PDB file of all heavy atoms in Angstrom:
ATOM      1  N   THR A   1       0.819  -1.212   0.000  1.00 45.00           N
ATOM      2  CA  THR A   1       0.000   0.000   0.000  1.00 45.00           C
ATOM      3  C   THR A   1       0.849   1.256   0.000  1.00 45.00           C
ATOM      4  O   THR A   1       0.375   2.328   0.325  1.00 45.00           O
ATOM      5  CB  THR A   1      -0.942   0.033   1.215  1.00 45.00           C
ATOM      6  OG1 THR A   1      -0.166  -0.065   2.400  1.00 45.00           O
ATOM      7  CG2 THR A   1      -1.940  -1.106   1.144  1.00 45.00           C
ATOM      8  N   GLU A   2       2.105   1.118  -0.372  1.00 48.00           N
ATOM      9  CA  GLU A   2       2.973   2.291  -0.379  1.00 48.00           C
ATOM     10  C   GLU A   2       2.463   3.295  -1.382  1.00 48.00           C
ATOM     11  O   GLU A   2       2.220   2.974  -2.545  1.00 48.00           O
ATOM     12  CB  GLU A   2       4.391   1.875  -0.752  1.00 48.00           C
ATOM     13  CG  GLU A   2       5.365   3.038  -0.717  1.00 48.00           C
ATOM     14  CD  GLU A   2       6.789   2.584  -0.931  1.00 48.00           C
ATOM     15  OE1 GLU A   2       7.025   1.380  -0.912  1.00 48.00           O
ATOM     16  OE2 GLU A   2       7.637   3.463  -1.130  1.00 48.00           O
ATOM     17  N   PRO A   3       2.232   4.527  -0.973  1.00 49.00           N
ATOM     18  CA  PRO A   3       1.646   5.519  -1.858  1.00 49.00           C
ATOM     19  C   PRO A   3       2.498   5.770  -3.085  1.00 49.00           C
ATOM     20  O   PRO A   3       3.720   5.723  -3.036  1.00 49.00           O
ATOM     21  CB  PRO A   3       1.563   6.777  -0.985  1.00 49.00           C
ATOM     22  CG  PRO A   3       1.517   6.259   0.398  1.00 49.00           C
ATOM     23  CD  PRO A   3       2.385   5.032   0.386  1.00 49.00           C
ATOM     24  N   VAL A   4       1.802   6.024  -4.198  1.00 49.00           N
ATOM     25  CA  VAL A   4       2.479   6.420  -5.424  1.00 49.00           C
ATOM     26  C   VAL A   4       2.503   7.935  -5.468  1.00 49.00           C
ATOM     27  O   VAL A   4       1.457   8.570  -5.468  1.00 49.00           O
ATOM     28  CB  VAL A   4       1.728   5.867  -6.657  1.00 49.00           C
ATOM     29  CG1 VAL A   4       2.412   6.316  -7.927  1.00 49.00           C
ATOM     30  CG2 VAL A   4       1.653   4.349  -6.588  1.00 49.00           C
ATOM     31  N   LEU A   5       3.682   8.530  -5.473  1.00 52.00           N
ATOM     32  CA  LEU A   5       3.803   9.977  -5.552  1.00 52.00           C
ATOM     33  C   LEU A   5       4.000  10.341  -7.008  1.00 52.00           C
ATOM     34  O   LEU A   5       4.979   9.934  -7.638  1.00 52.00           O
ATOM     35  CB  LEU A   5       4.992  10.461  -4.720  1.00 52.00           C
ATOM     36  CG  LEU A   5       4.976  10.008  -3.253  1.00 52.00           C
ATOM     37  CD1 LEU A   5       6.148  10.611  -2.518  1.00 52.00           C
ATOM     38  CD2 LEU A   5       3.673  10.390  -2.593  1.00 52.00           C
ATOM     39  N   ILE A   6       3.069  11.121  -7.557  1.00 47.00           N
ATOM     40  CA  ILE A   6       3.060  11.370  -8.984  1.00 47.00           C
ATOM     41  C   ILE A   6       3.169  12.850  -9.271  1.00 47.00           C
ATOM     42  O   ILE A   6       2.447  13.663  -8.704  1.00 47.00           O
ATOM     43  CB  ILE A   6       1.772  10.815  -9.621  1.00 47.00           C
ATOM     44  CG1 ILE A   6       1.652   9.324  -9.281  1.00 47.00           C
ATOM     45  CG2 ILE A   6       1.776  11.018 -11.119  1.00 47.00           C
ATOM     46  CD1 ILE A   6       0.378   8.712  -9.736  1.00 47.00           C
ATOM     47  N   ARG A   7       4.097  13.216 -10.126  1.00 41.00           N
ATOM     48  CA  ARG A   7       4.227  14.612 -10.543  1.00 41.00           C
ATOM     49  C   ARG A   7       3.125  14.951 -11.535  1.00 41.00           C
ATOM     50  O   ARG A   7       2.480  14.078 -12.108  1.00 41.00           O
ATOM     51  CB  ARG A   7       5.594  14.839 -11.203  1.00 41.00           C
ATOM     52  CG  ARG A   7       6.787  14.549 -10.283  1.00 41.00           C
ATOM     53  CD  ARG A   7       8.072  14.829 -11.034  1.00 41.00           C
ATOM     54  NE  ARG A   7       9.243  14.416 -10.302  1.00 41.00           N
ATOM     55  CZ  ARG A   7       9.832  15.133  -9.358  1.00 41.00           C
ATOM     56  NH1 ARG A   7       9.333  16.290  -9.019  1.00 41.00           N
ATOM     57  NH2 ARG A   7      10.909  14.681  -8.740  1.00 41.00           N
ATOM     58  N   SER A   8       2.946  16.234 -11.761  1.00 38.00           N
ATOM     59  CA  SER A   8       1.902  16.662 -12.693  1.00 38.00           C
ATOM     60  C   SER A   8       2.203  16.244 -14.120  1.00 38.00           C
ATOM     61  O   SER A   8       1.323  16.197 -14.957  1.00 38.00           O
ATOM     62  CB  SER A   8       1.736  18.194 -12.630  1.00 38.00           C
ATOM     63  OG  SER A   8       2.954  18.825 -12.929  1.00 38.00           O
ATOM     64  N   ASP A   9       3.491  15.900 -14.417  1.00 42.00           N
ATOM     65  CA  ASP A   9       3.820  15.443 -15.766  1.00 42.00           C
ATOM     66  C   ASP A   9       3.628  13.947 -15.939  1.00 42.00           C
ATOM     67  O   ASP A   9       3.891  13.375 -16.987  1.00 42.00           O
ATOM     68  CB  ASP A   9       5.270  15.813 -16.141  1.00 42.00           C
ATOM     69  CG  ASP A   9       6.293  15.148 -15.224  1.00 42.00           C
ATOM     70  OD1 ASP A   9       5.887  14.347 -14.361  1.00 42.00           O
ATOM     71  OD2 ASP A   9       7.493  15.416 -15.399  1.00 42.00           O
ATOM     72  N   GLY A  10       3.179  13.265 -14.854  1.00 46.00           N
ATOM     73  CA  GLY A  10       2.885  11.848 -14.958  1.00 46.00           C
ATOM     74  C   GLY A  10       3.985  10.945 -14.467  1.00 46.00           C
ATOM     75  O   GLY A  10       3.801   9.742 -14.315  1.00 46.00           O
ATOM     76  N   SER A  11       5.176  11.486 -14.193  1.00 46.00           N
ATOM     77  CA  SER A  11       6.277  10.649 -13.737  1.00 46.00           C
ATOM     78  C   SER A  11       6.196  10.432 -12.241  1.00 46.00           C
ATOM     79  O   SER A  11       5.667  11.254 -11.510  1.00 46.00           O
ATOM     80  CB  SER A  11       7.618  11.302 -14.084  1.00 46.00           C
ATOM     81  OG  SER A  11       7.751  12.537 -13.421  1.00 46.00           O
ATOM     82  N   GLU A  12       6.706   9.275 -11.785  1.00 49.00           N
ATOM     83  CA  GLU A  12       6.708   9.000 -10.359  1.00 49.00           C
ATOM     84  C   GLU A  12       7.896   9.666  -9.714  1.00 49.00           C
ATOM     85  O   GLU A  12       8.983   9.746 -10.263  1.00 49.00           O
ATOM     86  CB  GLU A  12       6.762   7.484 -10.110  1.00 49.00           C
ATOM     87  CG  GLU A  12       5.492   6.795 -10.551  1.00 49.00           C
ATOM     88  CD  GLU A  12       5.465   5.351 -10.128  1.00 49.00           C
ATOM     89  OE1 GLU A  12       6.326   4.971  -9.318  1.00 49.00           O
ATOM     90  OE2 GLU A  12       4.594   4.611 -10.605  1.00 49.00           O
ATOM     91  N   LYS A  13       7.681  10.172  -8.508  1.00 48.00           N
ATOM     92  CA  LYS A  13       8.717  10.903  -7.796  1.00 48.00           C
ATOM     93  C   LYS A  13       9.481   9.973  -6.882  1.00 48.00           C
ATOM     94  O   LYS A  13       8.894   9.201  -6.145  1.00 48.00           O
ATOM     95  CB  LYS A  13       8.066  12.027  -6.966  1.00 48.00           C
ATOM     96  CG  LYS A  13       9.077  12.783  -6.125  1.00 48.00           C
ATOM     97  CD  LYS A  13       8.381  13.800  -5.262  1.00 48.00           C
ATOM     98  CE  LYS A  13       9.380  14.477  -4.342  1.00 48.00           C
ATOM     99  NZ  LYS A  13       8.747  15.396  -3.419  1.00 48.00           N
ATOM    100  N   ASP A  14      10.812  10.051  -6.913  1.00 45.00           N
ATOM    101  CA  ASP A  14      11.635   9.314  -5.966  1.00 45.00           C
ATOM    102  C   ASP A  14      11.563  10.006  -4.630  1.00 45.00           C
ATOM    103  O   ASP A  14      11.681  11.220  -4.534  1.00 45.00           O
ATOM    104  CB  ASP A  14      13.106   9.278  -6.424  1.00 45.00           C
ATOM    105  CG  ASP A  14      13.267   8.473  -7.702  1.00 45.00           C
ATOM    106  OD1 ASP A  14      12.481   7.523  -7.872  1.00 45.00           O
ATOM    107  OD2 ASP A  14      14.148   8.803  -8.509  1.00 45.00           O
ATOM    108  N   ASP A  15      11.394   9.249  -3.578  1.00 45.00           N
ATOM    109  CA  ASP A  15      11.318   9.825  -2.245  1.00 45.00           C
ATOM    110  C   ASP A  15      12.471   9.287  -1.429  1.00 45.00           C
ATOM    111  O   ASP A  15      12.419   8.204  -0.877  1.00 45.00           O
ATOM    112  CB  ASP A  15       9.987   9.441  -1.584  1.00 45.00           C
ATOM    113  CG  ASP A  15       9.737  10.262  -0.341  1.00 45.00           C
ATOM    114  OD1 ASP A  15      10.708  10.834   0.184  1.00 45.00           O
ATOM    115  OD2 ASP A  15       8.583  10.317   0.094  1.00 45.00           O
ATOM    116  N   ASP A  16      13.578  10.049  -1.389  1.00 40.00           N
ATOM    117  CA  ASP A  16      14.772   9.580  -0.716  1.00 40.00           C
ATOM    118  C   ASP A  16      14.553   9.398   0.764  1.00 40.00           C
ATOM    119  O   ASP A  16      15.189   8.569   1.395  1.00 40.00           O
ATOM    120  CB  ASP A  16      15.927  10.580  -0.938  1.00 40.00           C
ATOM    121  CG  ASP A  16      16.316  10.643  -2.408  1.00 40.00           C
ATOM    122  OD1 ASP A  16      16.140   9.632  -3.108  1.00 40.00           O
ATOM    123  OD2 ASP A  16      16.792  11.705  -2.825  1.00 40.00           O
ATOM    124  N   LYS A  17      13.626  10.185   1.345  1.00 37.00           N
ATOM    125  CA  LYS A  17      13.424  10.130   2.786  1.00 37.00           C
ATOM    126  C   LYS A  17      12.894   8.773   3.219  1.00 37.00           C
ATOM    127  O   LYS A  17      13.173   8.315   4.305  1.00 37.00           O
ATOM    128  CB  LYS A  17      12.455  11.227   3.242  1.00 37.00           C
ATOM    129  CG  LYS A  17      13.075  12.601   3.226  1.00 37.00           C
ATOM    130  CD  LYS A  17      12.143  13.608   3.831  1.00 37.00           C
ATOM    131  CE  LYS A  17      10.991  13.941   2.934  1.00 37.00           C
ATOM    132  NZ  LYS A  17      10.140  15.014   3.436  1.00 37.00           N
ATOM    133  N   SER A  18      12.107   8.092   2.346  1.00 37.00           N
ATOM    134  CA  SER A  18      11.516   6.837   2.755  1.00 37.00           C
ATOM    135  C   SER A  18      12.582   5.792   3.022  1.00 37.00           C
ATOM    136  O   SER A  18      12.449   4.959   3.909  1.00 37.00           O
ATOM    137  CB  SER A  18      10.560   6.336   1.668  1.00 37.00           C
ATOM    138  OG  SER A  18      11.258   6.115   0.471  1.00 37.00           O
ATOM    139  N   ASP A  19      13.699   5.794   2.258  1.00 39.00           N
ATOM    140  CA  ASP A  19      14.755   4.820   2.477  1.00 39.00           C
ATOM    141  C   ASP A  19      15.445   5.058   3.807  1.00 39.00           C
ATOM    142  O   ASP A  19      15.915   4.131   4.450  1.00 39.00           O
ATOM    143  CB  ASP A  19      15.793   4.902   1.343  1.00 39.00           C
ATOM    144  CG  ASP A  19      15.203   4.425   0.023  1.00 39.00           C
ATOM    145  OD1 ASP A  19      14.235   3.648   0.081  1.00 39.00           O
ATOM    146  OD2 ASP A  19      15.700   4.829  -1.032  1.00 39.00           O
ATOM    147  N   ASN A  20      15.546   6.316   4.227  1.00 36.00           N
ATOM    148  CA  ASN A  20      16.216   6.637   5.476  1.00 36.00           C
ATOM    149  C   ASN A  20      15.385   6.263   6.692  1.00 36.00           C
ATOM    150  O   ASN A  20      15.875   6.285   7.809  1.00 36.00           O
ATOM    151  CB  ASN A  20      16.530   8.147   5.536  1.00 36.00           C
ATOM    152  CG  ASN A  20      17.503   8.553   4.458  1.00 36.00           C
ATOM    153  OD1 ASN A  20      18.335   7.755   4.060  1.00 36.00           O
ATOM    154  ND2 ASN A  20      17.390   9.783   3.991  1.00 36.00           N
ATOM    155  N   CYS A  21      14.125   5.958   6.466  1.00 34.00           N
ATOM    156  CA  CYS A  21      13.234   5.685   7.584  1.00 34.00           C
ATOM    157  C   CYS A  21      13.107   4.201   7.882  1.00 34.00           C
ATOM    158  O   CYS A  21      12.390   3.810   8.784  1.00 34.00           O
ATOM    159  CB  CYS A  21      11.827   6.228   7.283  1.00 34.00           C
ATOM    160  SG  CYS A  21      11.805   8.005   7.095  1.00 34.00           S
ATOM    161  N   LYS A  22      13.735   3.364   7.096  1.00 34.00           N
ATOM    162  CA  LYS A  22      13.534   1.937   7.254  1.00 34.00           C
ATOM    163  C   LYS A  22      14.598   1.318   8.143  1.00 34.00           C
ATOM    164  O   LYS A  22      15.765   1.669   8.087  1.00 34.00           O
ATOM    165  CB  LYS A  22      13.550   1.248   5.880  1.00 34.00           C
ATOM    166  CG  LYS A  22      12.373   1.682   5.007  1.00 34.00           C
ATOM    167  CD  LYS A  22      12.419   1.020   3.662  1.00 34.00           C
ATOM    168  CE  LYS A  22      11.259   1.468   2.782  1.00 34.00           C
ATOM    169  NZ  LYS A  22      11.327   0.912   1.448  1.00 34.00           N
ATOM    170  N   ILE A  23      14.182   0.345   8.949  1.00 31.00           N
ATOM    171  CA  ILE A  23      15.105  -0.382   9.814  1.00 31.00           C
ATOM    172  C   ILE A  23      15.535  -1.657   9.098  1.00 31.00           C
ATOM    173  O   ILE A  23      14.700  -2.384   8.559  1.00 31.00           O
ATOM    174  CB  ILE A  23      14.424  -0.753  11.142  1.00 31.00           C
ATOM    175  CG1 ILE A  23      14.065   0.533  11.893  1.00 31.00           C
ATOM    176  CG2 ILE A  23      15.318  -1.636  12.003  1.00 31.00           C
ATOM    177  CD1 ILE A  23      13.269   0.277  13.148  1.00 31.00           C
ATOM    178  N   ASP A  24      16.807  -1.931   9.077  1.00 40.00           N
ATOM    179  CA  ASP A  24      17.318  -3.162   8.492  1.00 40.00           C
ATOM    180  C   ASP A  24      17.160  -4.284   9.505  1.00 40.00           C
ATOM    181  O   ASP A  24      17.980  -4.451  10.401  1.00 40.00           O
ATOM    182  CB  ASP A  24      18.806  -2.976   8.116  1.00 40.00           C
ATOM    183  CG  ASP A  24      19.331  -4.170   7.336  1.00 40.00           C
ATOM    184  OD1 ASP A  24      18.657  -5.223   7.370  1.00 40.00           O
ATOM    185  OD2 ASP A  24      20.401  -4.037   6.726  1.00 40.00           O
ATOM    186  N   LYS A  25      16.095  -5.060   9.358  1.00 35.00           N
ATOM    187  CA  LYS A  25      15.812  -6.093  10.346  1.00 35.00           C
ATOM    188  C   LYS A  25      16.841  -7.216  10.290  1.00 35.00           C
ATOM    189  O   LYS A  25      16.959  -8.007  11.211  1.00 35.00           O
ATOM    190  CB  LYS A  25      14.406  -6.654  10.121  1.00 35.00           C
ATOM    191  CG  LYS A  25      13.318  -5.638  10.422  1.00 35.00           C
ATOM    192  CD  LYS A  25      11.951  -6.267  10.293  1.00 35.00           C
ATOM    193  CE  LYS A  25      10.877  -5.247  10.606  1.00 35.00           C
ATOM    194  NZ  LYS A  25       9.534  -5.799  10.453  1.00 35.00           N
ATOM    195  N   GLY A  26      17.551  -7.303   9.173  1.00 39.00           N
ATOM    196  CA  GLY A  26      18.586  -8.310   9.073  1.00 39.00           C
ATOM    197  C   GLY A  26      19.748  -7.989   9.978  1.00 39.00           C
ATOM    198  O   GLY A  26      20.475  -8.868  10.436  1.00 39.00           O
ATOM    199  N   LYS A  27      19.975  -6.702  10.274  1.00 36.00           N
ATOM    200  CA  LYS A  27      21.070  -6.289  11.143  1.00 36.00           C
ATOM    201  C   LYS A  27      20.667  -6.317  12.606  1.00 36.00           C
ATOM    202  O   LYS A  27      21.412  -6.728  13.469  1.00 36.00           O
ATOM    203  CB  LYS A  27      21.523  -4.868  10.777  1.00 36.00           C
ATOM    204  CG  LYS A  27      22.223  -4.772   9.430  1.00 36.00           C
ATOM    205  CD  LYS A  27      22.664  -3.337   9.187  1.00 36.00           C
ATOM    206  CE  LYS A  27      23.363  -3.186   7.845  1.00 36.00           C
ATOM    207  NZ  LYS A  27      23.773  -1.794   7.602  1.00 36.00           N
ATOM    208  N   VAL A  28      19.461  -5.855  12.888  1.00 33.00           N
ATOM    209  CA  VAL A  28      19.040  -5.747  14.287  1.00 33.00           C
ATOM    210  C   VAL A  28      17.599  -6.196  14.414  1.00 33.00           C
ATOM    211  O   VAL A  28      16.727  -5.657  13.769  1.00 33.00           O
ATOM    212  CB  VAL A  28      19.159  -4.287  14.789  1.00 33.00           C
ATOM    213  CG1 VAL A  28      18.694  -4.207  16.239  1.00 33.00           C
ATOM    214  CG2 VAL A  28      20.577  -3.787  14.650  1.00 33.00           C
ATOM    215  N   ASP A  29      17.354  -7.206  15.220  1.00 41.00           N
ATOM    216  CA  ASP A  29      15.985  -7.609  15.552  1.00 41.00           C
ATOM    217  C   ASP A  29      15.631  -6.923  16.857  1.00 41.00           C
ATOM    218  O   ASP A  29      16.054  -7.330  17.918  1.00 41.00           O
ATOM    219  CB  ASP A  29      15.913  -9.129  15.704  1.00 41.00           C
ATOM    220  CG  ASP A  29      14.475  -9.606  15.889  1.00 41.00           C
ATOM    221  OD1 ASP A  29      13.647  -8.777  16.299  1.00 41.00           O
ATOM    222  OD2 ASP A  29      14.211 -10.789  15.626  1.00 41.00           O
ATOM    223  N   LYS A  30      14.845  -5.853  16.752  1.00 36.00           N
ATOM    224  CA  LYS A  30      14.618  -5.016  17.930  1.00 36.00           C
ATOM    225  C   LYS A  30      13.889  -5.744  19.047  1.00 36.00           C
ATOM    226  O   LYS A  30      13.963  -5.362  20.181  1.00 36.00           O
ATOM    227  CB  LYS A  30      13.852  -3.741  17.537  1.00 36.00           C
ATOM    228  CG  LYS A  30      12.494  -3.942  16.940  1.00 36.00           C
ATOM    229  CD  LYS A  30      11.875  -2.595  16.655  1.00 36.00           C
ATOM    230  CE  LYS A  30      10.511  -2.718  16.011  1.00 36.00           C
ATOM    231  NZ  LYS A  30      10.572  -3.283  14.678  1.00 36.00           N
ATOM    232  N   GLU A  31      13.166  -6.832  18.720  1.00 38.00           N
ATOM    233  CA  GLU A  31      12.458  -7.574  19.746  1.00 38.00           C
ATOM    234  C   GLU A  31      13.403  -8.455  20.575  1.00 38.00           C
ATOM    235  O   GLU A  31      13.063  -8.914  21.648  1.00 38.00           O
ATOM    236  CB  GLU A  31      11.381  -8.449  19.099  1.00 38.00           C
ATOM    237  CG  GLU A  31      10.257  -7.630  18.489  1.00 38.00           C
ATOM    238  CD  GLU A  31       9.191  -8.509  17.880  1.00 38.00           C
ATOM    239  OE1 GLU A  31       9.380  -9.736  17.862  1.00 38.00           O
ATOM    240  OE2 GLU A  31       8.185  -7.961  17.425  1.00 38.00           O
ATOM    241  N   LYS A  32      14.611  -8.720  20.028  1.00 34.00           N
ATOM    242  CA  LYS A  32      15.537  -9.619  20.709  1.00 34.00           C
ATOM    243  C   LYS A  32      16.724  -8.878  21.315  1.00 34.00           C
ATOM    244  O   LYS A  32      17.667  -9.502  21.792  1.00 34.00           O
ATOM    245  CB  LYS A  32      16.042 -10.675  19.723  1.00 34.00           C
ATOM    246  CG  LYS A  32      14.935 -11.588  19.224  1.00 34.00           C
ATOM    247  CD  LYS A  32      15.479 -12.624  18.266  1.00 34.00           C
ATOM    248  CE  LYS A  32      14.371 -13.536  17.762  1.00 34.00           C
ATOM    249  NZ  LYS A  32      14.877 -14.542  16.815  1.00 34.00           N
ATOM    250  N   ILE A  33      16.721  -7.557  21.283  1.00 29.00           N
ATOM    251  CA  ILE A  33      17.851  -6.801  21.817  1.00 29.00           C
ATOM    252  C   ILE A  33      17.880  -6.911  23.333  1.00 29.00           C
ATOM    253  O   ILE A  33      16.902  -6.625  24.007  1.00 29.00           O
ATOM    254  CB  ILE A  33      17.758  -5.320  21.396  1.00 29.00           C
ATOM    255  CG1 ILE A  33      18.031  -5.203  19.900  1.00 29.00           C
ATOM    256  CG2 ILE A  33      18.757  -4.484  22.183  1.00 29.00           C
ATOM    257  CD1 ILE A  33      17.896  -3.800  19.387  1.00 29.00           C
ATOM    258  N   ASP A  34      18.986  -7.335  23.860  1.00 38.00           N
ATOM    259  CA  ASP A  34      19.199  -7.400  25.298  1.00 38.00           C
ATOM    260  C   ASP A  34      20.350  -6.464  25.598  1.00 38.00           C
ATOM    261  O   ASP A  34      21.488  -6.739  25.250  1.00 38.00           O
ATOM    262  CB  ASP A  34      19.538  -8.841  25.717  1.00 38.00           C
ATOM    263  CG  ASP A  34      19.759  -8.971  27.222  1.00 38.00           C
ATOM    264  OD1 ASP A  34      19.854  -7.924  27.907  1.00 38.00           O
ATOM    265  OD2 ASP A  34      19.833 -10.097  27.698  1.00 38.00           O
ATOM    266  N   LYS A  35      20.039  -5.330  26.209  1.00 35.00           N
ATOM    267  CA  LYS A  35      21.073  -4.319  26.404  1.00 35.00           C
ATOM    268  C   LYS A  35      22.234  -4.835  27.240  1.00 35.00           C
ATOM    269  O   LYS A  35      23.341  -4.320  27.159  1.00 35.00           O
ATOM    270  CB  LYS A  35      20.454  -3.078  27.054  1.00 35.00           C
ATOM    271  CG  LYS A  35      19.497  -2.326  26.140  1.00 35.00           C
ATOM    272  CD  LYS A  35      18.991  -1.068  26.795  1.00 35.00           C
ATOM    273  CE  LYS A  35      18.051  -0.325  25.870  1.00 35.00           C
ATOM    274  NZ  LYS A  35      17.512   0.902  26.499  1.00 35.00           N
ATOM    275  N   GLY A  36      21.987  -5.892  28.048  1.00 37.00           N
ATOM    276  CA  GLY A  36      23.059  -6.425  28.856  1.00 37.00           C
ATOM    277  C   GLY A  36      24.029  -7.269  28.057  1.00 37.00           C
ATOM    278  O   GLY A  36      25.166  -7.477  28.463  1.00 37.00           O
TER     279      GLY A  36
END
């Protein structure tokens, strides 16, 4: 359901911010983090 961002000329817009907002679950499983 990721929104399609569309310019008035019909082309889709790249949204660089969306990539910066994602957590790499392969690196860190936040449910299993034990700070100790």
Side-chain angles (χ1 to χ4, degrees):
T1 57
E2 183 173 350
V4 178
L5 305 183
I6 304 175
R7 299 181 188 277
S8 58
D9 62 4
S11 62
E12 292 188 12
K13 177 184 175 184
D14 294 329
D15 193 341
D16 295 331
K17 286 187 286 186
S18 61
D19 292 336
N20 296 330
C21 297
K22 295 179 181 176
I23 296 174
D24 187 344
K25 292 185 180 178
K27 291 182 180 179
V28 179
D29 187 338
K30 61 178 178 293
E31 292 181 355
K32 296 181 180 179
I33 290 177
D34 181 349
K35 291 184 179 179

